[in-house]
Every structure is written in structure tokens, then in C-alpha cells.
Amino acid sequence: MATERYNPRASEPKWQKAWDEARLFETRNDDPRPKHYVLEMFPYPSGRIHMGHVRNYTLGDVVARYKRAKGFNVLHPMGWDAFGLPAENAAMEKKVHPAKWTYDNIATMRAQLQSMGLSLDWERELATCNPDYYQQQQAMFVDLFEAGLVYRKEASVNWDPVDQTVLANEQVIDGRGWRTGAIVERRKLSQWFFKITTYSEELLAGLQGLDRWPAKVRLMQENWIGRSEGARAFFGLAGRQDRLEIFTTRPDTLFGASFVAIAADHPLANELGAGDPGLAAFLDECRKTAINAEAIETAEKKGYRTKLEVIHPFDASWKLPVYVANFVLMEYGTGAIFGCPAHDQRDLDFARKYGLPVTPVVCPPGEDPKSFVIGDTAYLEDGHAINSRFLDGLDVTSAKRAAIQRLVELGAGEGTVHYRLRDWLVSRQRYWGCPIPMIHCGDCGIIPVPKQNLPVVLPDDVKFDRPGNPLEHHPTWKNVSCPRCGKPARRETDTLDTFVDSSWYFARFCSPHSNERPVDPAAASYWMPVDQYVGGVEHAILHLLYSRFFVRAMTKVGLLALDEPFAGLFTQGMVCHETYRNEAGDWLFPEEVTKDADGKMITVADGRPVLVGRSEKMSKSKKNVIDPNPIIATYGADTARWFMLSDSPPDRDLEWTTAGVEGAAKFTQRLWRLITERLSALPSAGTAMPASIDARCEPLRRATHKTIAGVTDDIEKFHFNKAVARLYEFVNAITEFVGTNGAQQTIAGGAWTLREAFEALARLIGPMMPHLAEELWRRLGHNQLLVETPWPEADRALTVDDSVTIAVQVNGKLRATIELPRDAAQSVAESAALSEDAVQRALAGKPPRKVIIVPNRIVNVVV
């Protein structure tokens, strides 16, 4: 009689219900076991999960289930990063309120995630758009304001003309909005900022302790914070009493200066522009570009020569022209630079364009200073100072020190440290976000909303029929009485950047139902930091850096006692798929294409040719997305999970293929048949190990315990694909044992050995294919749920081989290999090596001069 096939459609809902009814994944804060906090970056509720979600949450779930089996009290929560512009745009396009759109999407995505069998504590679920959440965020904003970590100022900002809102510098990529791709403009507005620069040095130094973070993420943050040592130098303004302050990291090159440039937003530029129409027009042109460094670097370098000149700090008779330049930012340094064209490529391009001198002041080693000239490429490397008067002959480091010392002596500057990091602009001119809890009063100024009046709740009756911020257009919402003087006042109509919502949610999970404070100190002290955080490397700057700032700010106001939010970070690779276009160039979904008889891709609808593009990250814009629902419905969640873990290392991109999924499904059925076809031959569950076990059982017993040890180590190191490979090998070893000893019950201990292997296999696949593992565990005769069963322990005696293969060399050249008992005596190893025919031929009758033995590895015979 043929064995029944494994039916995931029946099994998976059954076990999910069993886990839910037993409330196994609801976590207590007073559990005596050691804690382990596992968290994947929470999703934006866009409507449906995608394969990126499947991979992300599978990785985290493997860790959570493994750590639970290892005896930890595991916190593995889920929430929703629910504010944001897509909901507001949907309101305009589909005539639906953002709240309804968001909560409907949450319901859909929650059901999809639950179908994956994730071991999540849904009792701690939160959504950032819920007033219960953003009330606490508003209270925290007030705390930070009173602590001096929040301020408002007029500043040049990045304006996204499509989303009609301000963007932080980190949200502008190549001069375009991070979400819309629109070319960003520069505007001057009064905005709210978090004073993240207060912690520049702490954020930089803290990276050294994050040894469980990817090195590339730490480097990205280090570069973004951008600590640089240099000097403040003062250039006197010719014919005026004031001076221009410049920050430079290369004071050693001051003698190579040929111009000074200031930002378009510099007060001096605005002053000069008032009396110079040409400059005024240039300033307007500059304001059309974004203000972040990346946008500036890619733009054409342009300048406008003013009538001003500055006096060189080292020589009162040396004057330099002052330009306004579009590549100088007011937000970096002092908004003014000196240009040294010989040793800065940007300055060199500018100097060549405007006919300015190029004087080399650093000579490469071995070059003749008299003949060294600069061509089209600036010299950026080390060397010694030339054409620099009192600095001549000094190396770069010594020249920097000497230049700073002279600046100090002349009262023309000082040494200083500068950071690239700017304060975090958090104002957004949109509706669907956390209202900023501040009130503008004509008499009292700008004051916080009293905490007892929080939350400031978003109005439901908003309209999206006009450009701009619906809160600003609302007829009544913004009108309020001043809480101090009682006079008419107005609410702040800006809302917070949604990255604020995600910068502390991990702490809220510790006590999500606390109404008194954003976090319960005792709960946060127990759970934080997150032990294992999982998410995309694309959040290396924005989310991760902001979160690191937030825990420091929360600690300052007494909400936490913490330096870092995430002790361990794992950044998974993308899920990729081929891209397809029809003859008109329109993108096609994978289900819209098929292969013809010749193997060429054609459209399903009309058989027209399809252009196959390269494999790229799955994205809705290019339609190369795979909906997980049909995969789970057809093959089961375990199959999707297994494929996500098996195809490539989890930190690398994964190529989604139908063949790969089908292969995973076949392996699922193979496991099922392997175990269920032999259940009747096994001793009862819990049977003690027999006193006598046939030697023919030893290879499988060794395979069992080596696999336990290997998979354990692989999961600890996030080598999930290696763990999967070990399990494939283990299944092959079991299959070989069954095939060789078909009547295993006739071998002493054979049936018990097979049960040991089957039970280990079920337990080891538990974190990866939890539903199949539960089903097999029950079929193996166990009443306790597998998820409540401890992780298997390897018998170390069985993980070490009794014999080893040893290389035998003669004068360093391999001549033979020998099998010896592990830790054999050196005399035994020497005798065995010298008895080999190939070794004797190499010796040619000569006695060995020396025999060098590395135990269990090599014998080297020296002639």
C-alpha cells in the first residue's frame, strides 16, 4: 500500500491552531529563563507581503524557534510601520481614508504572515498610526524638547515637489527623493530638528563595540558621521572689519589657495546678492538643487565671482577672490571653503573652468619640486610640502601641525574637530503622520502641548483635494487656545518624519500596553538591547543610525538606561527575479509570460515575444514580483521557508526560481516518506538505548550526532544554507542505512538507531519547517509538541572520528596518505609513513635525516 503524501494544506493550519491555543509564543516579562530578544524590521503595511518579507521573517523565525528550544525566554514580536505617504496618496487616488486603507492592509498582511507559521507574539502587536502609540511618541517629543534635544529653526531644506514635503539629507539620493524619485528642490523653511549632532562622538565611538554587526554597516555609519580633524581659519575681508571663517581638513595646503568660495545660503552671499542682480539670479539657480552632499557632488560645479576679496591668514599682502559656488553647503563646516586646486579634484575643475592659479604645495616622494606640475588630475597622496614657506620640507602630518600652530600664534585660527553628520530634520508637511505636539502662541511663543492633553489626535474629516498639507487646510483642527495664557493660538501642522516612529518601536515592544510611559523601565531593562535584529542593509544609515541616537536621547530623559539598541545585526540579501517586457516596453509580471516549444519567452495572452532582462531585486515598479500566497497554497509555507534558507547564504541575494521551489517541495515529500514508511519498524518513543548495538549502526549514529553539532553551530553563525546542506547529507546517510540494512530490526540496535536519527532529523528541521516537523514528531509517537521540546544535544564522543587521514611528504612533496587511529603515537605514525612504497622510492635507499610529525595531520620526511 502506497504511503499517503504529506498534505501541507491540512497540516499547517492544524499546527498553527495548536500553537495558538497553547499560547506558546506569548512572552512573559517575569520568566526565570535567560532572555533572548529576536526582532525583524517591522513592515510597512502596503497591502500584501512579498518574497522579501518571507525571507526576512523566516530568518528571524529560525533564530527565535532555535533559541526557544535552547531554553531561552524568547521575545519575538510583530508590528506595523503604519504612517507614511503611500496611505495619503492612496486616499487621493482611491478616495479612501488613509486609516481605512492602512488598517485593511494590516489585516491582510497579518493573515499572510500567520500563514507562514511564524512564532510571533501577536499579543504585543502595535501599529505606529494607533493613537496609543503616537501618544507616547508625542510625550517623548516633549521630554526631548525640554531636554534641549529638539529645536526649531529656519533652514535650507530639501523639498520633494511630488510628495509636497521636506526630506532629510539622508532621504535624498543622487539629487532625487528617496521615495518618489523626483528632482529635489531647495527651500528656506522653519522646521523641527532633533539634535543628533550632540551625540556625534558617542555614535562614532559606539561602533567599536558592535562586534556582532556587519563590518560594512559600521563603516557606512562611520563615513556618514564623518569625523575629521582640521582647523578653523579666519580670512579677513579686504576693506571690511569682519572676517570669513573657514573649516579645512588640510591646513597644510593653505599656501596653495587660489580662491575662496561660499555657499549660496551664506549670509555674506545674501548680503552681496541684494546689490548684484547677476549674483541674485545665480543664487536662485543654486536654490533649485538639493542640499545634501551626494546631490552637490554630481551637479556641474558653477561659481559666481563677487567683488569681495579676502586676506590670506599667513600673509596680509596676499588677497584671494571670493566666489559663490553651488558645491559649497551652508550645512557643512562653516559654509565657506578655500580652494586648493592642486590637491582637490573639485577645486581643480573649478580653477580650470574660471582660469585660476594652480600651485602644487605637496610634492610626491621622489619627484623634483622644481619640475612637479599638476595636469588634469589633482595630487591627493602623501608627500612633503613645497612652495609653502615655513612649511617646506615637512611631511603632510607635520605640516598640518605646524600650520595650525602658526594660525593660533597669529590669532587667525585654531585646531578643531568637525563631523559630517547634520541634525535630523523631522518636520513633514503631510497629514498621515504623528502630529508634532507643539502650539504657536503670539504671546507665549512656541510651547509644548501639556502631557495631560495628549495625544494630539489626527482629525478624521480631512480632504485631499488641494496640494499641500491637509492639516494646514483643515478649517478648525489647527485652532486651539494657548495652554498658558488662554488666548487663541494654533497647533503645529507639521507631522513627524515616519523614521521617528521606527526609531524606538523596539523599546515599546517590551511593554506595548503601558499607558503611563513610552516604556516600562523594568521591562526595558530586562529585554533591551535586542539580541538579534534582522533587516535590509538599505537601512544602514537612516533607520539604524536614528535608532542609535534615540536610545541615547531616551536614556538622557530617563526612559532607558542603554547605549545601543541592537547587540546583534544581520542584514539579509535581496530576493531577485528576472525582469520581462513586451514589445511595447511595458513591464510584465512573471505569471504573464511562458516558454514556447523552442524555449523562448512569450506572453501568455497572445504569444508575442518577450524581452528577458537581468535578474534584479523584486519590485512592484518592474513587476518582477512573486506573490507568496499561491506558493504557500500550492506547496505549503514550509516549502517556501526551506527554499529561502537553502538556495544561498542569507546575507547574499537569492535568485527566485520555480525549479528551486519545486525541488524544496520534493524534498519535503522525501522526508515524509522516509520516516512514515518505517514507523512500524521502530521501537516505541522513549525506548532506552539497548545495551548492545551492532557495529554496522555506528556510521549512522556518528552521522546523527555530527549533524546535530553541525546544524547547531551553523544556526548560531547564521549559516542557514550550510545547515540545510548538512540536513540533505544526513537524509542521504539515513537512506543509505535503510537501503543497506533493509531489515534493520534484525540488527542489534538497528531500529533504535533509526529512531534516534529520525527524531534528531525532526527536531533539527523544526526551526526551518516547523509544521512538517510537528507532524513527523507526532507520527513518531510523541504527545508533547515539538516546539516545547528541548534542542537535541550531540554526543561529543560520536562527533570525533576514530581514524584520521594523514599526508606523508618527502622533502615537502606529497608522496602518500595513510589512515591511522586518532592520536596515534609518533613512533606508529613514523613507522607507517616509512613503510609506504612511494616513500621508499623517494628515499632511494637513503636513511631519512629527520622525520617531522604534526599529530593527526602530516608526516614530513627530510632526506
Side-chain angles (χ1 to χ4, degrees):
M1 180 179 175
T3 305
E4 61 178 310
R5 287 179 59 82
Y6 174 63
N7 183 0
R9 287 184 294 278
S11 178
E12 293 183 350
K14 177 179 70 176
W15 293 115
Q16 289 166 17
K17 181 181 179 183
W19 300 330
D20 290 343
E21 289 178 347
R23 307 181 74 170
L24 292 176
F25 307 131
E26 293 179 19
T27 310
R28 293 182 10 234
N29 290 352
D30 59 351
D31 194 299
R33 295 173 297 172
K35 71 94 178 180
H36 195 86
Y37 187 175
V38 182
L39 184 64
E40 303 87 36
M41 294 179 184
F42 65 167
Y44 179 76
S46 57
R48 303 188 72 80
I49 66 170
H50 51 69
M51 283 301 171
H53 290 127
V54 173
R55 191 181 200 196
N56 190 42
Y57 299 121
T58 296
L59 295 177
D61 197 51
V62 169
V63 176
R65 287 177 174 274
Y66 166 75
K67 287 294 184 180
R68 187 174 285 108
K70 290 288 285 185
F72 287 87
N73 181 30
V74 174
L75 174 58
H76 188 208
M78 175 54 66
W80 309 95
D81 193 7
F83 273 137
L85 282 166
E88 198 165 332
N89 291 338
M92 290 184 282
E93 296 166 9
K94 302 177 181 179
K95 309 302 180 185
V96 61
H97 195 279
K100 177 174 172 47
W101 185 85
T102 300
Y103 283 109
D104 285 351
N105 288 349
I106 286 174
T108 299
M109 293 178 69
R110 183 192 300 115
Q112 290 179 301
L113 290 174
Q114 288 171 337
S115 74
M116 288 176 58
L118 301 171
S119 58
L120 293 166
D121 183 354
W122 287 103
E123 287 298 307
R124 295 180 185 242
E125 181 183 12
L126 59 80
T128 59
C129 66
N130 190 309
D132 288 344
Y133 184 87
Y134 68 74
Q135 172 186 355
Q136 302 300 335
Q137 185 163 293
Q138 290 171 344
M140 197 159 27
F141 186 95
V142 172
D143 288 339
L144 300 186
F145 175 77
E146 293 174 347
L149 292 176
V150 174
Y151 66 93
R152 180 180 169 89
K153 73 170 183 179
E154 185 175 72
S156 293
V157 297
N158 300 302
W159 181 261
D160 188 315
V162 173
D163 277 341
Q164 293 278 298
T165 189
V166 165
L167 301 177
N169 288 338
E170 294 88 342
Q171 293 169 318
V172 180
I173 302 170
D174 296 331
R176 297 178 180 271
W178 72 286
R179 208 194 66 80
T180 66
I183 295 176
V184 170
E185 302 169 359
R186 190 184 311 187
R187 290 194 180 183
K188 199 114 179 167
L189 295 172
S190 290
Q191 300 287 279
W192 290 97
F193 292 83
F194 281 150
K195 205 169 185 181
I196 189 173
T197 54
T198 298
Y199 297 98
S200 295
E201 187 59 40
E202 282 188 40
L203 290 167
L204 185 63
L207 293 171
Q208 303 307 311
L210 298 176
D211 53 359
R212 291 180 51 225
W213 280 40
K216 63 182 177 182
V217 173
R218 285 182 284 148
L219 180 61
M220 291 166 73
Q221 289 209 3
E222 181 180 331
N223 291 339
W224 190 262
I225 296 167
R227 185 184 192 275
S228 54
E229 295 184 4
R232 294 168 64 224
F234 298 104
F235 288 70
L237 291 169
R240 297 170 52 141
Q241 296 301 310
D242 48 343
R243 302 187 296 180
L244 186 65
E245 180 183 343
I246 286 173
F247 170 80
T248 176
T249 59
R250 294 296 303 272
D252 59 304
T253 65
L254 274 164
F255 284 106
S258 64
F259 67 94
V260 163
I262 60 177
D265 295 325
H266 197 284
L268 186 58
N270 292 326
E271 174 193 327
L272 298 173
D276 185 339
L279 176 56
F282 180 74
L283 296 180
D284 286 340
E285 180 184 345
C286 290
R287 293 184 184 113
K288 294 177 181 177
T289 60
I291 62 169
N292 70 318
E294 286 71 20
I296 295 299
E297 286 301 317
T298 56
E300 179 187 357
K301 309 302 181 287
K302 295 181 181 180
Y304 185 96
R305 183 164 182 168
T306 71
K307 297 176 182 179
L308 275 184
E309 292 182 319
V310 293
I311 301 169
H312 197 285
F314 289 152
D315 187 341
S317 66
W318 184 358
K319 295 180 180 177
L320 299 168
V322 176
Y323 283 79
V324 177
N326 69 344
F327 60 84
V328 182
L329 291 173
M330 193 65 212
E331 286 69 26
Y332 293 88
T334 62
I337 67 158
F338 78 85
C340 179
H343 306 291
D344 184 289
Q345 190 62 44
R346 180 190 59 187
D347 294 349
L348 179 60
D349 296 340
F350 189 85
R352 297 297 190 205
K353 183 173 184 175
Y354 293 104
L356 299 169
V358 179
T359 303
V361 291
V362 179
C363 184
E367 287 276 356
D368 183 353
K370 297 179 181 178
S371 59
F372 178 59
V373 295
I374 299 294
D376 295 329
T377 304
Y379 179 68
L380 308 179
E381 306 303 322
D382 251 345
H384 63 275
I386 59 173
N387 302 320
S388 296
R389 306 185 194 181
F390 65 89
L391 299 177
D392 282 352
L394 296 177
D395 61 70
V396 168
T397 301
S398 300
K400 286 181 180 180
R401 286 198 296 262
I404 292 172
Q405 182 179 344
R406 184 63 62 92
L407 286 170
V408 173
E409 292 171 353
L410 295 172
E414 62 182 2
T416 188
V417 174
H418 174 72
Y419 297 92
R420 180 177 181 267
L421 181 66
R422 300 293 89 194
D423 280 339
W424 177 11
L425 191 163
V426 295
S427 296
R428 296 296 179 268
Q429 293 68 43
R430 300 307 295 246
Y431 163 74
W432 193 237
C434 173
I436 295 177
M438 304 299 286
I439 293 173
H440 299 257
C441 175
D443 289 346
C444 303
I446 304 176
I447 59 175
V449 175
K451 286 188 178 180
Q452 64 268 25
N453 295 342
L454 296 177
V456 177
V457 180
L458 290 169
D460 290 328
D461 57 334
V462 290
K463 296 182 179 179
F464 300 93
D465 54 354
R466 295 168 59 185
N469 186 356
L471 292 177
E472 186 67 36
H473 302 151
H474 194 281
T476 60
W477 183 84
K478 63 185 177 183
N479 300 323
V480 66
S481 296
C482 175
R484 287 187 184 171
C485 68
K487 293 181 180 179
R490 62 182 293 273
R491 295 188 190 278
E492 174 62 66
T493 57
D494 284 354
T495 53
L496 287 172
D497 177 9
T498 56
F499 278 99
V500 177
D501 310 339
S502 59
S503 291
W504 71 284
Y505 79 107
F506 43 84
R508 182 66 177 170
F509 275 135
C510 299
S511 51
H513 307 301
S514 171
N515 295 321
E516 299 300 319
R517 307 184 74 184
V519 293
D520 175 75
S525 176
Y526 173 66
W527 285 114
M528 294 296 294
V530 175
D531 295 284
Q532 186 62 66
Y533 201 34
V534 181
V537 73
E538 66 270 20
H539 297 293
I541 299 297
L542 290 166
H543 167 56
L544 293 173
L545 185 61
Y546 292 161
S547 297
R548 296 183 63 224
F549 157 70
F550 237 82
V551 296
R552 287 165 168 81
M554 292 173 73
T555 295
K556 180 172 183 176
V557 298
L559 294 171
L560 293 175
L562 194 65
D563 292 328
E564 295 291 343
F566 313 118
L569 171 69
F570 186 85
T571 54
Q572 86 280 2
M574 304 295 184
V575 181
C576 303
H577 196 283
E578 286 181 333
T579 53
Y580 307 113
R581 289 189 178 190
N582 61 20
E583 292 172 304
D586 300 322
W587 298 105
L588 299 170
F589 286 107
E591 60 265 27
E592 295 180 294
V593 304
T594 188
K595 288 183 179 179
D596 64 12
D598 298 324
K600 295 179 180 178
M601 301 302 291
I602 59 173
T603 59
V604 173
D606 52 18
R608 303 296 300 171
V610 169
L611 176 64
V612 180
R614 65 187 179 90
S615 179
E616 300 183 40
K617 172 191 172 184
M618 288 187 182
S619 69
K620 292 180 180 178
S621 62
K622 295 183 178 179
K623 295 187 176 181
N624 63 331
V625 293
I626 298 292
D627 185 348
N629 276 13
I631 302 296
I632 293 174
T634 303
Y635 300 107
D638 283 346
T639 292
R641 292 168 62 116
W642 185 258
F643 175 72
M644 286 295 177
L645 297 167
S646 65
D647 195 63
S648 64
D651 59 337
R652 298 182 190 172
D653 290 350
L654 179 148
E655 179 71 21
W656 180 268
T657 64
T658 302
V661 179
E662 291 172 348
K666 289 177 181 177
F667 183 70
T668 300
Q669 296 298 336
R670 181 185 175 192
L671 284 179
W672 178 256
R673 292 193 305 272
L674 179 65
I675 294 178
T676 58
E677 287 179 355
R678 293 164 180 84
L679 293 173
S680 62
L682 303 179
S684 301
T687 300
M689 184 173 73
S692 174
I693 298 180
D694 192 288
R696 285 172 289 178
C697 297
E698 185 173 338
L700 181 57
R701 294 210 67 219
R702 287 190 175 278
T704 297
H705 289 271
K706 285 183 179 180
T707 303
I708 292 171
V711 170
T712 301
D713 187 59
D714 290 335
I715 293 178
E716 290 280 358
K717 295 177 179 177
F718 258 82
H719 295 164
F720 298 149
N721 62 309
K722 290 184 178 180
V724 168
R726 289 185 200 275
L727 290 166
Y728 276 118
E729 292 175 3
F730 185 34
V731 168
N732 289 339
I734 297 174
T735 304
E736 181 180 352
F737 177 80
V738 171
T740 304
N741 309 290
Q744 63 271 6
Q745 64 270 28
T746 65
I747 302 173
W752 185 91
T753 296
L754 191 59
R755 169 171 280 282
E756 179 187 41
F758 284 162
E759 291 195 355
L761 180 58
R763 293 162 76 183
L764 292 175
I765 67 170
M768 306 171 194
M769 294 193 285
H771 310 90
L772 175 63
E774 287 284 10
E775 193 70 48
L776 290 172
W777 191 246
R778 184 58 55 89
R779 295 294 179 106
L780 284 164
H782 295 280
N783 293 321
Q784 183 185 37
L785 289 168
L786 176 64
V787 76
E788 296 183 283
T789 303
W791 189 252
E793 295 289 336
D795 183 339
R796 293 298 167 182
L798 292 171
T799 63
V800 178
D801 289 323
D802 288 338
S803 63
V804 291
T805 302
I806 296 176
V808 181
Q809 296 179 343
V810 177
N811 288 343
K813 186 174 182 180
L814 181 66
R815 295 295 184 180
T817 58
I818 55 176
E819 288 287 327
L820 291 177
R822 177 173 293 278
D823 300 324
Q826 291 202 7
S827 59
V828 173
E830 180 177 338
S831 175
L834 294 176
S835 65
E836 288 290 313
D837 291 341
V839 173
Q840 288 297 318
R841 287 195 297 271
L843 289 173
K846 299 177 183 177
R849 190 157 51 88
K850 186 188 299 184
V851 178
I852 302 169
I853 299 174
V854 179
N856 300 319
R857 293 185 58 191
I858 192 170
V859 176
N860 189 20
V861 181
V862 181
V863 182

